Amino acid sequence: MSEKKLTLQLDFHSGLPIYTQIVNQIQSQLVNGILKPGDQLPTVRALASDLRVNFNTVARAYRILDEARIISTQQGRGTYITEIPPPEVTEKLRKESLSELTQRYINEAYRLGFSEREVSQMVRDSLKLWKEAKHVKDEE
Amino acid sequence: MSEKKLTLQLDFHSGLPIYTQIVNQIQSQLVNGILKPGDQLPTVRALASDLRVNFNTVARAYRILDEARIISTQQGRGTYITEIPPPEVTEKLRKESLSELTQRYINEAYRLGFSEREVSQMVRDSLKLWKEAKHVKDEE
DNA sequence: CAATCATTGATACAATTAGTACAATTATAG
DNA sequence: CTATAATTGTACTAATTGTATCAATGATTG
């Protein structure tokens, strides 16, 4: 059951290797709860076909995730999200996920020509708004 | 799909370095719309062979364009025209666009359960790294 | 003329992705 | 139950890409 279809959005011009994008997005979906422990991932060939990449590229991503104990790949069986990800892994993942997200954000801002000062200021402002909004919400 | 052939006219007696001519003509074709953001450029070897020059000369041109953020070169993958920010965007639009980008970033971080402190710290760290990297690059 | 510097070329390297054969497991036929 | 085929991940290699380094060349300058 649970024919959950793994949906990944690759950007072939982003400068990030395909396998890295696959790794990042699977990590992100796990942190985010879209993927859960025990879930089966598509086979390397199925996902590769879906993404229109070579299956070795997917295999490489899976191997990286496997070495990080995030998934468990079993020859002849398939690939699964690790049942009980150790807390230090999930915390590490959380941090990495934020780091990843932040880098993407800063790179994008830089690409659009914004300065370090502008980015810094905008983040400060936005965080302030965010905190205020959260405050209001918490007061209910 | 889009097998656009990049056609450059080199003048070997002009006194202008080959790599400069390549840089200029690619820039020119971009301005004139012959090349568009996302377009893939020929490989350094293919273009070099086409122009009958050493591929390092093309690589040098590509590197200059890459540093100018006009193209994005990716080892093992290829070279692409980057999505350039239209220079004629007003400052207001610029700010709005950064604001929007930042909101998306913060919302995503929030959705992933990060605290204001974590986000703030991560942005500071990432900006620092970014600035250092830029510095090194500028010093060469 | 000699020294220096920019340009170009030669060569080796590194990163990414693709191709091919193989091994482990599971499903199926008899 | 056993044999065989199908499915899955693995390992190794090859091909394609850009990168780094240094040497050769040729022009410029003192």
Side-chain angles (χ1 to χ4, degrees):
Chain A
M1 306 308 153
S2 332
E3 289 289 323
K4 272 193 285 190
K5 178 155 173 19
L6 181 63
T7 305
L8 303 183
Q9 205 51 49
L10 295 186
D11 178 355
F12 288 91
H13 304 153
S14 75
L16 254 61
I18 306 299
Y19 69 87
T20 304
Q21 295 185 44
I22 296 173
V23 167
N24 288 344
Q25 294 192 30
I26 289 179
Q27 278 188 336
S28 174
Q29 297 204 7
L30 175 58
V31 168
N32 163 345
I34 297 173
L35 289 172
K36 293 189 179 55
D39 279 358
Q40 177 164 21
L41 294 177
T43 68
V44 288
R45 287 171 177 81
L47 182 54
S49 157
D50 192 30
L51 299 175
R52 314 292 189 90
V53 301
N54 187 277
F55 75 86
N56 280 295
T57 303
V58 175
R60 183 168 177 180
Y62 278 10
R63 202 188 53 192
I64 292 172
L65 289 165
D66 185 83
E67 285 168 356
R69 315 265 173 170
I70 291 162
I71 66 179
S72 159
T73 59
Q74 301 160 33
Q75 186 168 347
R77 306 230 312 141
T79 302
Y80 302 83
I81 304 282
T82 306
E83 275 302 341
I84 356 121
E88 71 271 15
V89 169
T90 49
E91 183 52 25
K92 185 159 168 287
L93 270 190
R94 239 176 65 84
K95 280 288 160 49
E96 280 175 3
S97 153
L98 178 58
S99 172
E100 227 291 310
L101 191 65
T102 306
Q103 305 238 3
R104 273 214 305 274
Y105 162 65
I106 289 182
N107 280 339
E108 179 72 3
Y110 181 39
R111 199 171 64 70
L112 291 174
F114 294 102
S115 71
E116 183 253 351
R117 176 177 305 280
E118 286 174 304
V119 171
S120 174
Q121 184 61 50
M122 184 62 77
V123 168
R124 252 197 308 278
D125 292 348
S126 297
L127 275 177
K128 192 162 161 243
L129 283 176
W130 173 36
K131 198 157 55 174
E132 282 164 3
K134 196 154 61 93
H135 227 250
V136 168
K137 201 175 166 190
D138 289 349
E139 274 170 1
E140 61 185 346
Chain B
M1 32 183 68
S2 302
E3 288 289 323
K4 271 194 285 191
K5 177 154 172 25
L6 181 63
T7 307
L8 303 183
Q9 283 303 324
L10 296 187
D11 179 352
F12 289 90
H13 306 299
S14 73
L16 239 60
I18 307 298
Y19 70 87
T20 304
Q21 295 184 44
I22 296 174
V23 167
N24 289 343
Q25 293 191 33
I26 289 179
Q27 276 187 327
S28 165
Q29 295 203 10
L30 180 56
V31 168
N32 291 339
I34 298 172
L35 289 172
K36 294 190 178 53
D39 280 358
Q40 177 163 20
L41 293 178
T43 69
V44 289
R45 286 171 177 81
L47 183 54
S49 155
D50 191 32
L51 300 176
R52 314 294 186 91
V53 300
N54 188 276
F55 74 85
N56 283 294
T57 304
V58 176
R60 183 167 176 179
Y62 279 10
R63 201 188 61 197
I64 292 173
L65 290 165
D66 185 83
E67 284 169 356
R69 318 244 154 220
I70 291 166
I71 66 178
S72 158
T73 59
Q74 301 160 34
Q75 185 168 352
R77 302 265 299 278
T79 301
Y80 302 85
I81 305 278
T82 57
E83 340 280 329
I84 48 171
E88 65 278 8
V89 292
T90 67
E91 186 59 18
K92 182 160 173 291
L93 282 182
R94 244 174 64 84
K95 277 289 160 46
E96 279 176 2
S97 118
L98 177 59
S99 173
E100 212 172 276
L101 190 66
T102 306
Q103 300 267 357
R104 273 212 307 276
Y105 162 65
I106 289 183
N107 281 339
E108 179 70 4
Y110 178 51
R111 195 171 64 77
L112 293 176
F114 293 103
S115 71
E116 182 257 349
R117 176 178 305 278
E118 284 175 306
V119 172
S120 169
Q121 184 63 49
M122 183 62 78
V123 169
R124 250 197 308 279
D125 292 349
S126 297
L127 277 176
K128 187 155 163 262
L129 283 176
W130 170 42
K131 199 157 55 174
E132 282 164 3
K134 197 156 60 94
H135 225 252
V136 169
K137 208 173 173 186
D138 289 349
E139 270 171 1
E140 62 186 350

